PDB file of all heavy atoms in Angstrom:
ATOM      1  N   ILE A   6     211.374 173.789  25.113  1.00 90.00           N
ATOM      2  CA  ILE A   6     212.753 174.273  25.129  1.00 90.00           C
ATOM      3  C   ILE A   6     212.897 175.420  24.135  1.00 90.00           C
ATOM      4  O   ILE A   6     212.863 175.214  22.918  1.00 90.00           O
ATOM      5  CB  ILE A   6     213.736 173.132  24.799  1.00 90.00           C
ATOM      6  CG1 ILE A   6     213.567 172.003  25.818  1.00 90.00           C
ATOM      7  CG2 ILE A   6     215.175 173.631  24.799  1.00 90.00           C
ATOM      8  CD1 ILE A   6     214.414 170.788  25.555  1.00 90.00           C
ATOM      9  N   ILE A  52     246.362 141.107  57.443  1.00 97.00           N
ATOM     10  CA  ILE A  52     246.562 141.295  58.879  1.00 97.00           C
ATOM     11  C   ILE A  52     247.285 140.093  59.488  1.00 97.00           C
ATOM     12  O   ILE A  52     247.401 139.974  60.710  1.00 97.00           O
ATOM     13  CB  ILE A  52     245.226 141.508  59.620  1.00 97.00           C
ATOM     14  CG1 ILE A  52     244.279 140.317  59.387  1.00 97.00           C
ATOM     15  CG2 ILE A  52     244.588 142.806  59.219  1.00 97.00           C
ATOM     16  CD1 ILE A  52     243.056 140.315  60.274  1.00 97.00           C
ATOM     17  N   GLY A  63     234.865 128.821  71.723  1.00 88.00           N
ATOM     18  CA  GLY A  63     236.307 128.628  71.692  1.00 88.00           C
ATOM     19  C   GLY A  63     237.014 129.686  70.898  1.00 88.00           C
ATOM     20  O   GLY A  63     236.438 130.712  70.532  1.00 88.00           O
ATOM     21  N   SER A  71     245.653 129.042  56.790  1.00 97.00           N
ATOM     22  CA  SER A  71     245.912 127.788  56.085  1.00 97.00           C
ATOM     23  C   SER A  71     245.244 126.641  56.834  1.00 97.00           C
ATOM     24  O   SER A  71     244.770 126.798  57.964  1.00 97.00           O
ATOM     25  CB  SER A  71     247.423 127.531  56.003  1.00 97.00           C
ATOM     26  OG  SER A  71     247.950 127.286  57.304  1.00 97.00           O
ATOM     27  N   GLU A  85     236.025 115.481  60.032  1.00 98.00           N
ATOM     28  CA  GLU A  85     235.122 115.586  58.879  1.00 98.00           C
ATOM     29  C   GLU A  85     235.862 115.217  57.596  1.00 98.00           C
ATOM     30  O   GLU A  85     235.306 114.566  56.705  1.00 98.00           O
ATOM     31  CB  GLU A  85     234.556 116.998  58.780  1.00 98.00           C
ATOM     32  CG  GLU A  85     233.540 117.204  57.683  1.00 98.00           C
ATOM     33  CD  GLU A  85     232.261 116.408  57.899  1.00 98.00           C
ATOM     34  OE1 GLU A  85     231.778 116.343  59.042  1.00 98.00           O
ATOM     35  OE2 GLU A  85     231.757 115.837  56.906  1.00 98.00           O
ATOM     36  N   SER A 141     243.263 130.082  48.375  1.00 98.00           N
ATOM     37  CA  SER A 141     243.277 131.220  49.300  1.00 98.00           C
ATOM     38  C   SER A 141     242.146 131.045  50.303  1.00 98.00           C
ATOM     39  O   SER A 141     240.979 130.911  49.912  1.00 98.00           O
ATOM     40  CB  SER A 141     243.100 132.536  48.531  1.00 98.00           C
ATOM     41  OG  SER A 141     244.167 132.740  47.632  1.00 98.00           O
ATOM     42  N   THR A 178     231.802 130.486  51.875  1.00 98.00           N
ATOM     43  CA  THR A 178     231.603 130.767  50.462  1.00 98.00           C
ATOM     44  C   THR A 178     232.848 130.312  49.716  1.00 98.00           C
ATOM     45  O   THR A 178     233.961 130.710  50.044  1.00 98.00           O
ATOM     46  CB  THR A 178     231.351 132.265  50.216  1.00 98.00           C
ATOM     47  OG1 THR A 178     230.104 132.641  50.804  1.00 98.00           O
ATOM     48  CG2 THR A 178     231.304 132.559  48.728  1.00 98.00           C
TER      49      THR A 178
END
Side-chain angles (χ1 to χ4, degrees):
I6 301 176
I52 58 169
S71 67
E85 184 65 41
S141 298
T178 294

